[in-house]
Amino acid sequence: MTTQTQLILATTAVLRNAQQLTTISNQGIGLVSLDDLIATSIGIHPLVFAQQSMLSEVTQQALQQKIADQYGQQTVALAEYYVSMLTELLVSAARQQGTAPLKVQLIGADSNARQQLLGAELETVEVNPQLGLRGASFFADVNYKPSFSLQCEAIKRARATLGGENIELVVPFVRTFSEAATMIDLLAEQGLCRGANGLKVHMLCCVPANALLAETFIHYFDGFVVDVEQLAQFALGQDFDNSSLNYRIDTQNDAVIQLLKMLFAVVGSTAKDCDIYCRSIEQSPRLQRWLHDHEITSVIC
């Protein structure tokens, strides 16, 4: 478990100067995605744990074999298997962080990203997955709520196991103020009340509306985590899943930097955080320089 978690735990990199980037392992803020944990270490579609009866016989058999490989002849309820596995992964990732915060990003990938998971047959085929049920709309949908409840149970168990406040939440793909309010309510219904026992809930800024309307969005959350690649994708209208278009992720485009300026201006007038998450920061020297000039000295990568 630990080895797998180390591979997907994003750690903080420090911008030493305008030209040099040095990665620091297991220091500073960590970010782990439930999408990655499920895909890498569990391999079962989230819908399976609430809709097992709808699976084909072949998938049912594969599912039972997978659980048997893990637990032998011991009988384990499917939902408990999922929650226990996810809890263990979260606890392992959080312990790698020591006393530093671990930000756990709730499921936010598009449906295409889950097609290789066991039980993907349960997910509705979407015309445009990148703009479909994602993040807040995914959790609020009646078909996905039971799965969301199980994810919340794993997070609660992980926080209880650690006995601390270092696990924080990041809500992805929040399109509107209504979705922001809905997410806070949905989490509270599951016993993850923002502010209770020190729980912080952040918003993943990945669509331009998040930056354009940041002054209002910030009131619903304890801070922002900016996914620069996704922000660039939607700001520039690029479809990274279409290989024939041969897009290069342009995180240094003027439009992206302008959106970052808007976010920084809003957060700068509050006591809240704004963390930058950029997987390609080493290939973005102009963005590095711009962040450094604006006194941003660390990036989650």
Side-chain angles (χ1 to χ4, degrees), residues 174-187:
V174 181
R175 294 172 167 101
T176 64
F177 304 144
S178 176
E179 285 192 345
T182 296
M183 277 309 308
I184 298 301
D185 289 343
L186 287 174
L187 288 169

Side-chain angles (χ1 to χ4, degrees), residues 2 54 95 261-262:
T2 303
M54 299 175 65
R95 283 178 173 159
K261 281 183 181 178
M262 292 179 177

